[in-house]
Amino acid sequence: MDGDQGEELGSFEELKPFGESVAFMLSILGAMELRSFRVLMTSVSLEPRTFGVLRALADVGSAKQHHLSQLAQVPASTMVAILDELEAADLVSRDPDPGDRRAHQVSLTAQGRDLIERATALAWRHEQEITAGLSVNDRKALLDALSLVFRNLKRPG
């Protein structure tokens, strides 16, 4: 299977014997979800990474550029280009941080808030589609397990 060019799988069973590997399944499902989410976000002229940055800002209100990089899990060098793009589209503003003249505070514009509200509504509908059949408890257990895997991946070494 080749990233975005791979053929769609017909069933979960086609993944055996690797289908019993958590790492392999996370990789396969992540690639499938990224393709699906990318298509969804094009309907509101966003990429998944720009959605993540806007969503992080919507959650915190405003943030220093460096902190926003951490929140959105985007490398600082990439964040500059993303913010340039979002600022040019009048979705975010970057203003000097009054407490640190070397830093910038990033916040959503009114247009950015409107767009992230629409994009988030799409994302939640998508979430409901891909988690159909999971009970509330199953969904919580899945999120808890994924949170543990996340923490394990973040561990040094």
Side-chain angles (χ1 to χ4, degrees):
M1 181 179 272
D2 177 7
D4 289 339
Q5 304 302 317
E7 290 183 30
E8 292 295 318
L9 294 170
S11 70
F12 185 79
E13 286 72 31
E14 291 180 55
L15 295 175
K16 301 233 180 223
F18 297 108
E20 294 180 16
S21 163
V22 172
F24 179 77
M25 289 305 301
L26 286 173
S27 176
I28 293 297
L29 293 173
M32 290 171 68
E33 175 53 17
L34 181 58
R35 282 192 302 271
S36 178
F37 196 70
R38 180 173 281 126
V39 169
L40 181 70
M41 287 297 110
T42 60
S43 69
V44 289
S45 302
L46 290 175
E47 287 285 323
R49 68 183 187 163
T50 53
F51 172 84
V53 170
L54 292 174
R55 186 66 256 161
L57 276 175
D59 289 345
V60 298
S62 71
K64 287 185 181 180
Q65 197 166 304
H66 177 71
H67 182 63
L68 183 57
S69 267
Q70 294 171 331
L71 289 173
Q73 295 290 299
V74 173
S77 58
T78 304
M79 182 59 75
V80 172
I82 292 171
L83 291 177
D84 286 346
E85 176 186 325
L86 293 173
E87 193 172 35
D90 195 32
L91 299 174
V92 302
S93 64
R94 282 186 279 198
D95 299 303
D97 186 315
D100 181 356
R101 33 180 214 169
R102 296 168 297 156
H104 287 89
Q105 281 290 123
V106 183
S107 54
L108 292 171
T109 63
Q111 188 173 329
R113 280 189 297 279
D114 178 59
L115 180 60
I116 197 58
E117 284 177 21
R118 289 185 288 126
T120 299
L122 286 173
W124 275 116
R125 280 196 295 278
H126 179 68
E127 171 90 4
Q128 290 169 343
E129 291 170 6
I130 67 168
T131 60
L134 290 178
S135 69
V136 171
N137 288 339
D138 289 343
R139 186 178 180 283
K140 181 177 179 341
L142 177 58
L143 286 171
D144 289 346
L146 290 171
S147 177
L148 177 60
V149 171
F150 177 82
R151 288 191 307 275
N152 290 340
L153 287 171
K154 295 290 284 183
R155 262 192 222 143

